[in-house]
C-alpha cells in the first residue's frame, strides 16, 4: 500500500505542458508536501486534468472511437480488434481500445479522490486569506466536477462500475464491488451541487481550460438526464426508473439558471465561428463552450489527434499536413440537413486533398468526412505528418443547455411550454440565419421528435449522439432506420428521389465548383436535384448515389451492411469489461450482459 501511495503522488506531478498546465515534475512528494500550499495543491489538481487528455482520453479514443457507429457516422475501414471492433460492436475482451481508456479514467478518479479528500483538510482552506480560501474552494469544486466527468464516461460505456469515492490508500480492498449506477449518479449530482457554489463564473477569472461554474451546472444537467434516462441493466433489459421526472427537473432547473446568465454564456452568432475559434486557438467571447479538454505539448499523453484522425482526407505533402478519413459521415446524415442549414457544411466535408498541389477534389457520397476539427482550418497551419494537432475537445456547449432545457420542460409538462419552444428555436434560428425554420411542434411527442432531430444536427461529431440515443432507448431503432435510409438514397426513391446519381465538378483555382444547370454561381451545389449532365467536357463526373451500390472499405460490404454490423440489442449498448480486469477481480466483477 505504501508503494501504491508513492505512485499516486508521483502521478499527480506528471504534468503536460499546455499553457497554464506547465509545471516541473516530481517523483516522491508526501501528501503533506503536495497539499501544503495553494501552488502545490493547484499542481495536484492539474494532474487530475491530465487524465482527460492524450490518446487514451479525449485526445482520440474516448472522443473519436467510442461514439461510433451511430446514425450519424461510422468508423472507416475493415473490422479489427481495435477501433473498428468498437465501431462495429464486435468487442473482444482483449481489445486494448476498451481496456486502456478504462484504466485512464480510473487514474483520473484516483487523483481526484486524493484532491477531494485533502484540499478541504488544508489549514488554508478555512483559515487562509480570502484569496487563498477562494482558490482552494475553486480547486475543490474542480476536483468534484472532474470526478463526475470521469464517472459519467465510465457509466455510460460500462454501466454499473466500481465507484470508489476515497483514495486507494484508505481502501482496505482495492477490488471493490460494482455500485449501482443510480446511486453513483445521485452522488455525482450532489457533488456538483456543491461544486457549483464553490466555482467562479468564467468572467471572474483568467480565461483558460479550467472548469468554472457554468461547466459544473451544465454537467449536472447532463448527468441528471442520464440518471432519468434509459440504460441497459444487468438484467439485459433497457429500462429507466419510475422517478425520472425528478431528474428531468434537476436538468431543467440547472439549465434555466444558466440561461439567465447570458453575460457569462450564450450562443455564438455563427455556428461556423465556434469551430473556427477552436481550430485557431481563439477563445469565444460569448462563452458558448462551457467545458473543454485542454490539449497541447505534442505528445500522445497530453495532446489530441483531432484533425489528424478525423476531418477531410489531406495529403501530408500539402500545406495542411496529413489528416482525416477516420470517421465517415453517413449519407442519411448529410441529407438530414435542410439545404439552408449552415451546420451541414461545417459538420460534414465532401472534399479531399490528395497531393502537394493543395487542390481540392470531390469525394463520393459514401466517403464524406467530418468537418468541425478539420486540419486545413488550423491557424497556424501545421504541415507534414505530425499526429498531434493541439485542438481542444469540446465537451459541452451552450446550445446543449438550451436543448436540454427544452427537452426537460417538454417531459415535465407533458407538452412544450413557450420557454421550451423559445429555447429550441434559438438554436434553430442560429443555424438557419434568415431562412424560415418551419413550424415547431406543439405536442409532447412531436416536440420530443423535433428535439431528437435538432440534437442530431447540432452536435454531429461531438461524441454525443450515440449516448443520446441510448438514454432515449432509440439506439437500436435508429441504427435499423439508418440502414433503410441509406438503401433508399442508393435507389433514389422517396423521400430521397431528388438525390443525384452522379455529380459533376471542376476546380476553380484550388476550390471545387459544381455543375448546376442554368446557374453560373460558383457556390451553387447539386445535392438536392437529380443528375444534371453538362455538355462541356471540362466537368468531371463522380459517383454520388451510385457510389452506394458498390461494396467499399467498410468490411468489403455495402455501407448500409457494414454499419454497426454486429450490434445486438440488449448487449451492445454497453462495453464489456476486458479480460485483464476480470482476471484481476478474480470473479468479483460481473460481466455486462451478452459478453
Amino acid at each position: 500500500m505504501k508503494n501504491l501511495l508513492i505512485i499516486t503522488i508521483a502521478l499527480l506531478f506528471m504534468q503536460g505542458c499546455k499553457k497554464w498546465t506547465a509545471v516541473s515534475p516530481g517523483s516522491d512528494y508526501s501528501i503533506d508536501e503536495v497539499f501544503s500550499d495553494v501552488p502545490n495543491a493547484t499542481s495536484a489538481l492539474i494532474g487530475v486534468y491530465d487524465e482527460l487528455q492524450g490518446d487514451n482520453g479525449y485526445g482520440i479514443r474516448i472522443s473519436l472511437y467510442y461514439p461510433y457507429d451511430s446514425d450519424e457516422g461510422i468508423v472507416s475501414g475493415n473490422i479489427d480488434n481495435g477501433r473498428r471492433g468498437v465501431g462495429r460492436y464486435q468487442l473482444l475482451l482483449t481489445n486494448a481500445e476498451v481496456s486502456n481508456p478504462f484504466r485512464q479514467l480510473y487514474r483520473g478518479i484516483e487523483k481526484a479522490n486524493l484532491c477531494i479528500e485533502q484540499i478541504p483538510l488544508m489549514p488554508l482552506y478555512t483559515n487562509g486569506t480570502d484569496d487563498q480560501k477562494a482558490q482552494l474552494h475553486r480547486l475543490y469544486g474542480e476536483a468534484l466536477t472532474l470526478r463526475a466527468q470521469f464517472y459519467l464516461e465510465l457509466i455510460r460505456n460500462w454501466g454499473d462500475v466500481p465507484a470508489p469515492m476515497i483514495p486507494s490508500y484508505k481502501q482496505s480492498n482495492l477490488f471493490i464491488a460494482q455500485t449501482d449506477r443510480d446511486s453513483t449518479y445521485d452522488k455525482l449530482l450532489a457533488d456538483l451541487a456543491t461544486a457549483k457554489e464553490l466555482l467562479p463564473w468564467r468572467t471572474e477569472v483568467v480565461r483558460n481550460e479550467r472548469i468554472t461554474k457554468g461547466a459544473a451546472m451544465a454537467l449536472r444537467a447532463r448527468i441528471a438526464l442520464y440518471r432519468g434516462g434509459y440504460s441497459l441493466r444487468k438484467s439485459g433489459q433497457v429500462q429507466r426508473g419510475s422517478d425520472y421526472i425528478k431528474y428531468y427537473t434537476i436538468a431543467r432547473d440547472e439549465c434555466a439558471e444558466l440561461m439567465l446568465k447570458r453575460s457569462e454564456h450564450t450562443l455564438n452568432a455563427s455556428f461556423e465561428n465556434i469551430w473556427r475559434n477552436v481550430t485557431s486557438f481563439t477563445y469565444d467571447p460569448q462563452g458558448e463552450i462551457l467545458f473543454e479538454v485542454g490539449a497541447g505539448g505534442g505528445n500522445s499523453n497530453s495532446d489530441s489527434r483531432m484533425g489528424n484522425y478525423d476531418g477531410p482526407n489531406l495529403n501530408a505533402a500539402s500545406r495542411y499536413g496529413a489528416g482525416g478519413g477516420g470517421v465517415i459521415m453517413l449519407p442519411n446524415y448529410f441529407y438530414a440537413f435542410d439545404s439552408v442549414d449552415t451546420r451541414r457544411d461545417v459538420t460534414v466535408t465532401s472534399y479531399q486533398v490528395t497531393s502537394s498541389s493543395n487542390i481540392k477534389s470531390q469525394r463520393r457520397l459514401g466517403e464524406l468526412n467530418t468537418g468541425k476539427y478539420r486540419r486545413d482550418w488550423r491557424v497556424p497551419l501545421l504541415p507534414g505528418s505530425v499526429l498531434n494537432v493541439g485542438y481542444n475537445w469540446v465537451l459541452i456547449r451552450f446550445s446543449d443547455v438550451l436543448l436540454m432545457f427544452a427537452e426537460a420542460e417538454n417531459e415535465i409538462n407533458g407538452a412544450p411550454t413557450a420557454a421550451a419552444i423559445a429555447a429550441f428555436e434559438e438554436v434553430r434560428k442560429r443555424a438557419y440565419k434568415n431562412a424560415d425554420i418551419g413550424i415547431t411542434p406543439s405536442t409532447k411527442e412531436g416536440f420530443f421528435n423535433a428535439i431528437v432531430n435538432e440534437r442530431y444536427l447540432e452536435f454531429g461529431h461531438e461524441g454525443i449522439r450515440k449516448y443520446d440515443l441510448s438514454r432515449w432507448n432509440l439506439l437500436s431503432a435508429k441504427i435499423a432506420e439508418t440502414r433503410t435510409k441509406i438503401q433508399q438514397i442508393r435507389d433514389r426513391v422517396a423521400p430521397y428521389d431528388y438525390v443525384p446519381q452522379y455529380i459533376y465538378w471542376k476546380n476553380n483555382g484550388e476550390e471545387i465548383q459544381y455543375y448546376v444547370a442554368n446557374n453560373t454561381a460558383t457556390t451553387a451545389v447539386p445535392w438536392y436535384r437529380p443528375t444534371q449532365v453538362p455538355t462541356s467536357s471540362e466537368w468531371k463526373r463522380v459517383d454520388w448515389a451510385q457510389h452506394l451500390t458498390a461494396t467499399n472499405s467498410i468490411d468489403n460490404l455495402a455501407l448500409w451492411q457494414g454499419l454497426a454490423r454486429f450490434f445486438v440489442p440488449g448487449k451492445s449498448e454497453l462495453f464489456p469489461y476486458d479480460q485483464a480486469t476480470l482476471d484481476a477481480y478474480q470473479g468479483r466483477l460481473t460481466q455486462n450482459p451478452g459478453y
Side-chain angles (χ1 to χ4, degrees):
M1 191 64 70
K2 179 179 178 182
N3 289 337
L4 178 61
L5 174 59
I6 292 173
I7 291 170
T8 299
I9 299 300
L11 284 170
L12 288 170
F13 285 84
M14 293 180 182
Q15 314 299 341
C17 55
K18 169 74 171 178
K19 307 167 192 172
W20 60 276
T21 62
V23 296
S24 299
S27 58
D28 56 355
Y29 292 86
S30 69
I31 287 182
D32 288 342
E33 288 171 324
V34 170
F35 296 99
S36 61
D37 55 29
V38 173
N40 280 344
T42 302
S43 294
L45 193 279
I46 291 167
V48 186
Y49 277 99
D50 278 353
E51 300 301 341
L52 295 171
Q53 302 172 346
D55 283 1
N56 288 318
Y58 294 96
I60 183 168
R61 286 174 173 83
I62 296 176
S63 55
L64 304 184
Y65 294 0
Y66 282 16
Y68 302 101
D69 295 348
S70 73
D71 62 347
E72 65 176 354
I74 183 171
V75 178
S76 64
N78 293 326
I79 188 92
D80 59 19
N81 190 26
R83 64 184 177 90
R84 299 175 188 90
V86 174
R88 302 294 178 274
Y89 299 92
Q90 188 184 52
L91 283 158
L92 305 182
L93 305 192
T94 55
N95 192 324
E97 309 300 5
V98 174
S99 58
N100 289 336
F102 180 84
R103 286 158 176 70
Q104 179 158 315
L105 290 166
Y106 272 108
R107 285 199 302 272
I109 289 168
E110 168 64 9
K111 293 181 181 184
N113 282 342
L114 197 58
C115 289
I116 290 166
E117 177 197 58
Q118 289 295 317
I119 290 172
L121 298 178
M122 294 172 63
L124 295 177
Y125 190 83
T126 52
N127 299 321
T129 66
D130 288 346
D131 181 64
Q132 288 171 328
K133 288 188 288 186
Q135 289 190 63
L136 290 175
H137 290 176
R138 180 186 183 184
L139 294 177
Y140 181 54
E142 288 174 272
L144 290 171
T145 307
L146 287 166
R147 183 171 71 179
Q149 179 63 38
F150 291 128
Y151 271 123
L152 171 61
E153 203 63 68
L154 284 165
I155 293 171
R156 69 183 189 173
N157 284 297
W158 283 274
D160 295 335
V161 295
M165 297 292 175
I166 59 174
S168 59
Y169 83 96
K170 285 287 187 72
Q171 297 174 34
S172 59
N173 181 5
L174 295 180
F175 298 98
I176 65 173
Q178 290 152 285
T179 303
D180 178 79
R181 74 199 68 175
D182 291 344
S183 63
T184 304
Y185 275 145
D186 287 344
K187 168 63 174 168
L188 303 180
L189 291 170
D191 286 347
L192 289 168
T194 299
K196 81 175 202 180
E197 300 303 326
L198 300 172
L199 292 164
W201 288 106
R202 74 174 184 102
T203 60
E204 296 173 343
V205 290
V206 176
R207 294 291 299 278
N208 51 39
E209 295 91 352
R210 288 177 63 180
I211 289 165
T212 54
K213 189 187 296 287
M217 295 171 69
L219 181 60
R220 189 166 190 256
R222 176 176 284 180
I223 288 176
L225 289 182
Y226 278 103
R227 174 65 175 87
Y230 291 89
S231 59
L232 176 62
R233 301 289 172 159
K234 57 187 177 182
S235 64
Q237 300 300 309
V238 177
Q239 300 170 327
R240 73 173 174 184
S242 60
D243 59 348
Y244 67 92
I245 290 294
K246 170 184 176 181
Y247 298 98
Y248 274 77
T249 303
I250 291 172
R252 189 270 312 274
D253 292 349
E254 289 292 350
C255 292
E257 186 177 346
L258 259 173
M259 289 161 60
L260 294 175
K261 297 290 290 187
R262 292 305 182 101
S263 61
E264 296 292 343
H265 300 284
T266 194
L267 294 184
N268 187 313
S270 166
F271 186 78
E272 179 175 321
N273 283 347
I274 302 167
W275 307 102
R276 291 283 190 178
N277 287 338
V278 168
T279 54
S280 64
F281 311 101
T282 302
Y283 285 116
D284 181 355
Q286 287 79 26
E288 173 157 353
I289 298 172
L290 293 102
F291 192 0
E292 61 188 315
V293 177
N299 64 72
S300 62
N301 293 323
S302 62
D303 213 320
S304 69
R305 294 274 299 279
M306 284 80 77
N308 170 261
Y309 172 76
D310 58 339
N313 206 327
L314 305 171
N315 191 291
S318 71
R319 65 167 171 263
Y320 309 115
V327 178
I328 292 173
M329 300 304 272
L330 295 168
N332 59 290
Y333 185 64
F334 181 87
Y335 280 108
F337 291 94
D338 190 280
S339 61
V340 296
D341 192 329
T342 62
R343 295 173 293 195
R344 184 199 66 198
D345 293 341
V346 174
T347 308
V348 185
T349 56
S350 64
Y351 63 85
Q352 61 186 344
V353 176
T354 59
S355 70
S356 60
S357 66
N358 307 308
I359 295 175
K360 294 178 181 178
S361 59
Q362 179 62 39
R363 302 214 79 173
R364 297 173 294 184
L365 182 54
E367 301 171 330
L368 308 181
N369 295 130
T370 64
K372 288 176 177 175
Y373 293 96
R374 64 188 84 180
R375 188 165 180 160
D376 50 315
W377 275 4
R378 193 183 192 276
V379 179
L381 290 173
L382 186 64
S385 57
V386 174
L387 299 179
N388 300 115
V389 181
Y391 293 157
N392 289 356
W393 177 252
V394 175
L395 282 170
I396 302 178
R397 295 192 285 115
F398 188 74
S399 58
D400 203 346
V401 172
L402 292 169
L403 293 177
M404 286 192 292
F405 172 82
E407 178 186 345
E409 272 280 276
N410 183 54
E411 193 68 34
I412 293 164
N413 293 286
T417 61
I421 290 171
F424 170 81
E425 291 186 348
E426 184 176 351
V427 174
R428 196 159 176 80
K429 287 175 182 177
R430 194 256 304 266
Y432 278 59
K433 290 190 174 178
N434 298 320
D436 181 10
I437 64 168
I439 303 298
T440 300
S442 58
T443 65
K444 179 183 178 183
E445 181 181 7
F447 191 74
F448 170 74
N449 290 334
I451 288 287
V452 169
N453 190 62
E454 201 63 27
R455 291 182 66 84
Y456 186 42
L457 303 175
E458 179 73 14
F459 303 120
H461 192 53
E462 294 185 48
I464 292 174
R465 181 61 175 180
K466 186 178 86 170
Y467 302 107
D468 269 352
L469 293 177
S470 289
R471 68 180 178 85
W472 294 323
N473 194 21
L474 289 176
L475 182 57
S476 179
K478 286 294 183 181
I479 288 172
E481 180 183 299
T482 297
R483 291 170 178 154
T484 297
K485 287 182 175 180
I486 293 173
Q487 294 174 79
Q488 290 172 330
I489 296 169
R490 175 198 65 193
D491 298 335
R492 306 187 311 285
V493 298
Y496 300 105
D497 47 340
Y498 58 84
V499 175
Q501 185 175 9
Y502 307 99
I503 59 174
Y504 290 82
W505 67 280
K506 65 179 180 179
N507 284 112
N508 184 3
E510 293 183 1
E511 300 301 316
I512 294 173
Q513 180 178 346
Y514 297 101
Y515 177 76
V516 179
N518 304 315
N519 193 329
T520 59
T522 59
T523 56
V525 293
W527 318 130
Y528 301 95
R529 60 193 76 191
T531 303
Q532 301 161 85
V533 182
T535 57
S536 170
S537 62
E538 65 179 331
W539 298 93
K540 305 171 186 177
R541 191 183 83 173
V542 67
D543 291 348
W544 198 241
Q546 178 67 25
H547 182 232
L548 304 180
T549 66
T551 60
N552 52 43
S553 61
I554 306 299
D555 301 347
N556 298 314
L557 298 168
L559 184 61
W560 68 271
Q561 294 173 312
L563 170 69
R565 181 180 171 190
F566 297 98
F567 183 88
V568 177
K571 170 188 175 182
S572 301
E573 292 87 352
L574 293 176
F575 290 169
Y577 290 102
D578 67 275
Q579 191 61 53
T581 297
L582 291 172
D583 292 345
Y585 271 79
Q586 298 180 337
R588 295 188 295 272
L589 190 66
T590 302
Q591 181 61 284
N592 280 323
Y595 293 100

